[in-house]
Amino acid sequence: HKKEVKMLNKMATLLKSGIKKLKSLPSKNKELLSVINLCEYILCCVTTVINVKNFYEQRVSLKLCDNPDKMLEICAKIKKIAKNEIANAEKSIKFLRKDSALGFEPAQGYIGGEARVLWKIKQVNYMINSEVGYYENQVKTHKERFKKENI
């Protein structure tokens, strides 16, 4: 996991650098603007993969944890990752709106289109507010139950 995330972060850094260079070109024709939009959308996709990998790492840590205070810290990290992904998903919508081909996969249709991104945002918000919120409340209310020796 850590090696993959490190490579993905390097990819994101290189994409950001490339986007900055493309945007600095003096004349921007329609093709160049399309390439910039595509690169920015790909950057959002890479960011999603990073967020998902980090989310699952924290989720596994949470399942293995037996310290209630540490559990609450992990829940806070999960919420932060989720909120970062919501912001990233919202950002991706403007790129999807500029190019209807983005988010389209011929065999499955618009699986990455705007409607799907909005659905994902709703799911992530639900997870933050309902699932993680409920878990945090249970840990706070029943700290002693969550200690490994009591399980």
Side-chain angles (χ1 to χ4, degrees), residues 75-88:
C75 285
K77 289 179 185 177
I78 289 172
K79 283 182 166 183
K80 183 178 179 188
I81 293 165
K83 288 176 183 177
N84 287 342
E85 182 50 31
I86 289 169
N88 179 58

Side-chain angles (χ1 to χ4, degrees), residues 72-131:
L72 294 173
E73 287 176 27
I74 295 169
C75 285
K77 289 179 185 177
I78 289 172
K79 283 182 166 183
K80 183 178 179 188
I81 293 165
K83 288 176 183 177
N84 287 342
E85 182 50 31
I86 289 169
N88 179 58
E90 289 171 340
K91 182 179 177 182
S92 75
I93 292 171
K94 71 180 176 182
F95 308 122
L96 290 166
R97 286 179 178 163
K98 289 180 185 176
D99 185 350
S100 64
L102 297 177
F104 182 79
E105 196 285 316
Q108 299 178 27
Y110 282 96
I111 59 168
E114 183 177 351
R116 186 64 173 196
V117 172
L118 292 170
W119 173 85
K120 176 176 80 171
I121 291 169
K122 280 178 63 175
Q123 298 305 308
V124 174
N125 272 318
Y126 176 83
M127 185 266 309
I128 291 169
N129 297 322
S130 297
E131 295 172 6

Side-chain angles (χ1 to χ4, degrees), residues 28-44:
K28 294 175 192 71
N29 60 28
K30 188 176 179 180
E31 282 183 42
L32 178 58
L33 292 173
S34 180
V35 168
I36 292 169
N37 190 67
L38 174 61
C39 291
E40 290 186 303
Y41 178 73
I42 291 171
L43 178 58
C44 288

